[in-house]
Amino acid sequence: MTIFDEMVTEFGPQTSVDKTNAQHEVMQQITLSGLQRSGFFEHAAFYGGTCLRIFHGLRRFSEDMDFTLTEKNLNVHLEDFFPDIIEAFKLTGREVVIKKKEKKSFGKVESAFLKDNTDVYDIAFRTEKSLKVKIELDTDPPLDFETEQKLLLKPFSFMVRCVTLPDLFAGKMHALVYRNWQRRVKGRDWYDFEWYVANKVPLDFAHLQRRIQEFNGMELTKEEFIFTLKERLASTDIDLVKQDVMRFLRTDPHSLDIWSKDYFLQLADMIVYKE
């Protein structure tokens, strides 16, 4: 049994969906180990739902890995760090290929949420190309965020530079409100929103304002943002939200029974802000 297989087994997958989710997370952890050895985190930080899952115990799996440079620098690109990612997988008994995703391969909705200077790649197994994770690096990011070092023990002990929780919350709220998925609702945004509020994570509104300004060209007060958020929550089909997130959960699916528009509107009133 390879190190990769041992890591998957530790998740105790019961179904094929469980196994696929576990394989995705193991791929993500190995990718992080390769990036760490390459010196990538001297320039960049990990953020997004996968960061929340791996380092903060979010009880849902995630497919994509999002990274941001800590300073604007158009000369840093993911390709520079691929040899170390590939080597990290070899050390765990697997071989991977890394391919760039051209912007034209994205749907209109997805591409509209990516800036032109965002590098996007798929990491896939040579023998199972359908099993892959997507990695993104924003080389011209909205700034005004903080980072911290977080420990990961597998495939070996190492540190990953991560965006702090209040700023992760800001990134998630920006995605929830401004990601235009039409009927392809990303229910994982709603699930994460609930997690942040339930765990009393304060929202870094200054960073959220920076993201809205750079991505959307707008400046909003807290009151204006909450109004926009509530419009979004009230106009979304909650059944579609539940359908999207269900396959990623490691928790009792009945935990979603309370989900309704009114439930999320009340969560919006419970947001606290970083001072």
Side-chain angles (χ1 to χ4, degrees):
M1 181 180 288
T2 65
I3 295 173
F4 182 90
D5 293 332
E6 290 175 358
M7 291 175 68
V8 171
T9 301
E10 288 179 5
F11 281 92
Q14 301 296 312
T15 67
S16 60
V17 173
D18 289 344
K19 184 177 180 180
T20 298
N21 284 334
Q23 288 173 321
H24 276 137
E25 179 152 334
V26 172
M27 291 178 74
Q28 292 160 352
Q29 291 181 14
I30 294 169
T31 299
L32 289 171
S33 73
L35 289 171
Q36 189 274 333
R37 284 189 169 176
S38 73
F40 176 72
F41 293 110
E42 295 173 12
H43 311 281
F46 190 28
Y47 77 102
T50 305
C51 180
L52 204 61
R53 156 73 189 149
I54 292 176
F55 291 107
H56 298 284
L58 183 72
R59 294 184 62 81
R60 74 161 177 87
F61 284 100
S62 181
E63 296 173 313
D64 304 340
M65 304 183 75
D66 301 305
F67 301 96
T68 175
L69 292 184
T70 53
E71 296 179 355
K72 294 181 184 293
N73 187 342
L74 299 179
N75 295 317
V76 177
H77 299 287
L78 277 170
E79 297 103 313
D80 302 334
F81 308 95
F82 287 175
D84 291 279
I85 295 175
I86 293 169
E87 179 63 21
F89 274 94
K90 283 184 179 179
L91 292 172
T92 64
R94 300 305 298 258
E95 290 194 4
V96 294
V97 292
I98 306 177
K99 292 186 176 181
K100 186 170 187 176
K101 292 193 70 172
E102 300 297 335
K103 192 162 185 182
K104 62 183 180 182
S105 70
F106 293 99
K108 289 182 179 179
V109 173
E110 187 176 8
S111 63
F113 203 72
L114 285 176
K115 294 189 292 185
D116 288 337
N117 47 17
T118 299
D119 294 340
V120 186
Y121 295 85
D122 282 332
I123 300 175
F125 292 140
R126 286 188 179 277
T127 54
E128 302 168 71
K129 293 188 178 179
S130 61
L131 190 63
K132 58 189 176 184
V133 295
K134 185 174 72 175
I135 56 176
E136 298 181 11
L137 172 63
D138 188 346
T139 58
D140 185 22
L143 299 178
D144 294 334
F145 63 85
E146 297 180 356
T147 64
E148 60 184 346
Q149 296 289 337
K150 302 293 289 184
L151 174 64
L152 196 59
L153 299 176
K154 294 290 180 76
F156 56 84
S157 297
F158 63 100
M159 292 286 191
V160 175
R161 188 180 191 181
C162 299
V163 173
T164 59
L165 280 172
D167 293 314
L168 286 173
F169 192 9
K172 179 54 62 176
M173 296 309 294
H174 178 248
L176 192 156
V177 173
Y178 294 100
R179 201 194 309 263
N180 183 20
W181 289 97
Q182 299 172 349
R183 289 192 61 80
R184 290 177 56 232
V185 176
K186 194 166 184 178
R188 287 152 281 175
D189 289 343
W190 272 253
Y191 187 87
D192 296 356
F193 169 44
E194 178 190 48
W195 185 92
Y196 282 113
V197 175
N199 285 276
K200 296 180 169 51
V201 175
L203 174 64
D204 185 346
F205 192 72
H207 180 55
L208 176 58
Q209 282 181 309
R210 186 74 174 260
R211 296 187 73 86
I212 294 172
Q213 184 179 34
E214 291 198 19
F215 276 96
N216 310 101
M218 295 184 289
E219 292 190 13
L220 298 182
T221 64
K222 291 176 182 177
E223 293 74 21
E224 289 169 333
F225 175 75
I226 292 298
F227 178 81
T228 305
L229 169 63
K230 287 186 173 181
E231 280 192 322
R232 175 74 153 175
L233 297 172
S235 63
T236 302
D237 187 329
I238 294 298
D239 289 333
L240 293 179
V241 172
K242 291 181 180 181
Q243 288 171 22
D244 174 78
V245 77
M246 193 73 71
R247 61 195 171 98
F248 295 97
L249 295 187
R250 290 197 72 195
T251 187
D252 181 2
H254 290 294
S255 63
L256 305 187
D257 289 349
I258 194 173
W259 281 25
S260 65
K261 291 180 180 180
D262 182 61
Y263 174 66
F264 282 100
L265 289 171
Q266 291 199 37
L267 287 180
D269 288 328
M270 297 173 70
I271 292 174
V272 296
Y273 297 96
K274 177 183 175 182
E275 296 181 0

